[in-house]
Each structure stands twice: as structure tokens, then as C-alpha cells.
Amino acid sequence: MTFTFSHRYQPAWPATLGCLRLEHWLKTKYNVVISLINIRWQYCFPRTLSQRQKEKGELPVSTVSPKMAEVCGQVLLGSGLTVLSHPLMYIKVLIQVGHEPLPPTLGRNLFGRQVYQLPGLFAYAKHIIRIDGRAGLFKGLGPRLCAGTIGTVVHSKVVQILGGQQKDKESSLQQVVNETTREMIARSCATIVTHPFHVITLRCMVQFIGRETKYSGLIPRLLGDVLSLWICNLLAHLINTYAIDDSMSHTGEIKNCSQAMTGFFASMLTYPFVLVSNIMAVNNCGLAGGLTPYASVYPTWVDCWKHLSREGNMSRGNSLFFRKLPAGKTYAVDQKRFF
């Protein structure tokens, strides 16, 4: 399989010497990545009876389609380059928006003349590390990886759909026009779909200037979803295994009911994560509902969690009926809030 970048969706990576060398090395190892991905699925997951039959030759063995393997390879390659080049993009974006935290220094240009120069890449990187640590160089990496992955998949699907419409007998100019048109449509679709992630990436980076945390609500939401999933599935497994006998009538309906009950119970336990995530999504965002006096301004989602916990408001909004007056709070009619 020959790998080329001519008709593939790629994020904009800085053309530095180190990145170019890495990109060349990864291209030479692309076939190895494809081979690893193209392993049978039954070796990656617990083998069932049908999978063991396939290994014995009783059933045909299925493999990952070459197209899927190629897309996965593109995602892995793009993700690796994105991670390595992200600090460069981060610093570049901060410079683009005009953030200059360090004063110019006296240096020499290419002709040996003394001139005042602004701090370069390494000086800027040291400044970020001094404030946020090494992890601070990777702000906005999550949504950027999402954008790259989704963009690669969308681009590949569009090219695959449009590729079947080409004719065998075409002139060289007509072939160039058709290929360029297909590539234009594919890249446009990928750009449109991934634009929200691109905007979030840039805003996460620019938060470094004002030390805002408007986009820190993802972590508590992610924690809540993961915990809810594990609690729900483990409780359902325990109930279905030890509390429900297969000889009972209507076993299927009982198991479905237990699944719904465990889901409801898990959502109640993880509701504080949902609450904190939603509050941080509007916290100090410029809207009245995210500013004082309606809401406190929290530096991080952990501070929001601690504040709600001290006031006993971790379940605020969980119940929409028979709502009680918060303990120790007074309602201000003119401000329409408790304080």
C-alpha cells in the first residue's frame, strides 16, 4: 500500500525541520501501522463461540476492511503529529492575537546590526511553562484532536462517495478538474463539520491571556458520564446475576426494568458533575447569568464544586417538584435570587 498526502484531510502543521523529519519517518512506517490495525478483531476482544469456530476454519475469518485500516492509519498518524506540533501552534496563536508577555531584547539581525527583537519560540515556551507547567503547552489539545479525527473520517467518506463517479476515459485536464473538485468538496465538508472544535481550540488557548476558565466544564462532565456508565452497568450486572433467577417468568422485562432503575440511580449519584459542568459552561462568560450577583466567578471547576458543597447546593435543579427553600438563604425579590 502506497501512502500519499495528496488527497487527504490534514490539519495545518508547522513546517519546522523537526516535524518534517518526523513526518517522513512516520510515512515510511505507515505500512507497519496498517498491518497492526488489520489484525482480526477476535484477538482484541474476548473470543466467543463463533470466533473460535472461525479460528478452526468452520466459518470464514473476517478482517478489517482495507479502507477502514487506511482511515485508522491516517487518524493515528495525524494525531501523533498534532500532539507533537501542538505547542508550536499554541505559541503561534498567542502571538497572532497580539499577546506579548515578555519585553523585547537587544540582539543582532542577519546583517549583524543591533536591533530590538521580540522573544522567540523557546523564550515564549519557557514563560508558559513557568506559569502553567509543561502541561500548559498542550491547552486545547483535546478539541484539536477531535477536529482532526472527525475531519479525517468525513474527508475520507466524501472522497469515497465522490470517487465512484469518475469516468475511465477522461482527458488529463478534465481529470485534474474532477479530482480538484472532489478534493474541494471533501475538504469543505471536513472544515464545516470540524469548525466548532477549531473555535473551542482557539478559545482554550486564548484563555491563557486573561486566565479564564470558560472551557473547563468538559472535565466534570466527562467524569460524570464515565462514572454513570460504570455504576449503571455494574449494578445491572449484580442485580441480573444474583437477584434475578432465569427460571422466573418475564425475566426479560424484569432485566429491562432493572437496567432503567440502575440508570436512574447512577444519574442521581453523578448529578453533581452535571451541575458543575453546566455552571462552568456559563461561568464568567460575559452573560448576566454567569456573573455576579447571579453567580460567583470560579477560577476552576474544583472551586465551583467546593463552593456548592459548602452551601449544600450539590443537588440544585435535580428535582423540579416539591423544591425546598435553601437552608440559611434569603430571597431577594429585586435580584431574583437567593443570597
Side-chain angles (χ1 to χ4, degrees):
M1 181 182 296
T2 303
F3 179 77
T4 61
F5 275 96
S6 58
H7 297 292
R8 298 291 184 266
Y9 174 82
Q10 306 174 64
W13 297 317
T16 60
L17 181 60
C19 288
L20 289 177
R21 289 178 178 175
L22 177 65
E23 182 177 346
H24 179 267
W25 182 84
L26 289 175
K27 286 181 182 178
T28 61
K29 303 300 181 182
Y30 181 76
N31 289 333
V32 178
V33 176
I34 295 299
S35 300
L36 293 175
I37 298 174
N38 203 23
I39 298 175
R40 291 178 299 175
W41 288 109
Q42 56 262 38
Y43 289 114
C44 300
F45 301 96
R47 289 173 289 180
T48 60
L49 176 61
S50 62
Q51 289 173 327
R52 290 195 294 269
Q53 290 175 342
K54 290 179 183 180
E55 293 176 357
K56 295 178 181 179
E58 300 176 6
L59 292 174
V61 178
S62 62
T63 59
V64 181
S65 65
K67 190 64 179 178
M68 182 183 298
E70 184 178 0
V71 173
C72 291
Q74 295 170 21
V75 170
L76 290 177
L77 179 62
S79 299
L81 291 175
T82 298
V83 172
L84 293 175
S85 64
H86 188 77
L88 303 180
M89 178 186 175
Y90 183 24
I91 295 173
K92 184 177 181 179
V93 168
L94 292 178
I95 295 176
Q96 287 175 340
V97 299
H99 182 57
E100 298 292 348
L102 301 175
T105 57
L106 188 62
R108 295 184 181 275
N109 58 13
L110 295 177
F111 302 100
R113 182 182 301 175
Q114 285 190 340
V115 294
Y116 281 98
Q117 298 176 339
L118 293 173
L121 169 66
F122 297 105
Y124 217 121
K126 289 180 180 179
H127 173 71
I128 296 175
I129 293 174
R130 186 165 56 251
I131 296 177
D132 290 336
R134 296 184 183 274
L137 292 173
F138 296 92
K139 281 188 177 180
L141 178 60
R144 190 182 174 202
L145 287 175
C146 293
T149 302
I150 297 174
T152 300
V153 174
V154 172
H155 181 276
S156 176
K157 290 296 183 181
V158 174
V159 169
Q160 183 179 0
I161 294 173
L162 298 179
Q165 301 176 359
Q166 64 181 5
K167 298 179 181 180
D168 296 334
K169 297 181 179 180
E170 293 180 346
S171 62
S172 59
L173 178 59
Q174 185 64 36
Q175 186 176 0
V176 171
V177 172
N178 291 341
E179 289 181 356
T180 305
T181 302
R182 286 193 295 270
E183 181 68 13
M184 177 189 68
I185 297 175
R187 290 194 179 187
S188 299
C189 292
T191 301
I192 292 172
V193 172
T194 61
H195 185 68
F197 293 97
H198 178 67
V199 173
I200 294 175
T201 299
L202 296 179
R203 293 184 178 181
C204 287
M205 295 176 175
V206 177
Q207 284 185 149
F208 175 80
I209 300 174
R211 313 305 297 166
E212 298 96 346
T213 57
K214 296 181 182 180
Y215 295 91
S216 64
L218 174 63
I219 297 178
R221 181 182 179 187
L222 183 62
L223 290 175
D225 289 343
V226 171
L227 290 176
S228 178
L229 175 64
W230 279 99
I231 293 173
C232 179
N233 287 349
L234 289 177
L235 285 178
H237 172 73
L238 293 176
I239 294 175
N240 295 336
T241 303
Y242 300 104
I244 300 177
D245 191 355
D246 292 336
S247 61
M248 298 171 58
S249 59
H250 306 290
T251 303
E253 290 80 355
I254 296 176
K255 288 185 176 181
N256 291 335
C257 183
S258 66
Q259 186 75 23
M261 292 177 60
T262 54
F264 177 75
F265 180 70
S267 65
M268 289 182 59
L269 291 179
T270 58
Y271 179 79
F273 292 96
V274 178
L275 174 63
V276 172
S277 176
N278 291 344
I279 291 177
M280 292 304 299
V282 298
N283 178 60
N284 196 23
C285 65
L287 300 176
L291 298 171
T292 54
Y294 291 98
S296 301
V297 177
Y298 306 105
T300 65
W301 71 271
V302 178
D303 297 300
C304 178
W305 183 289
K306 292 179 179 179
H307 181 258
L308 293 175
S309 180
R310 287 195 303 266
E311 292 190 342
N313 281 334
M314 295 302 293
S315 61
R316 185 173 66 191
N318 190 21
S319 176
L320 299 180
F321 301 96
F322 307 107
R323 300 173 60 211
K324 296 181 179 179
L325 181 70
K329 294 289 184 178
T330 303
Y331 183 72
V333 179
D334 55 339
Q335 300 181 8
K336 302 178 180 179
R337 70 179 186 96
F338 290 99
F339 67 94

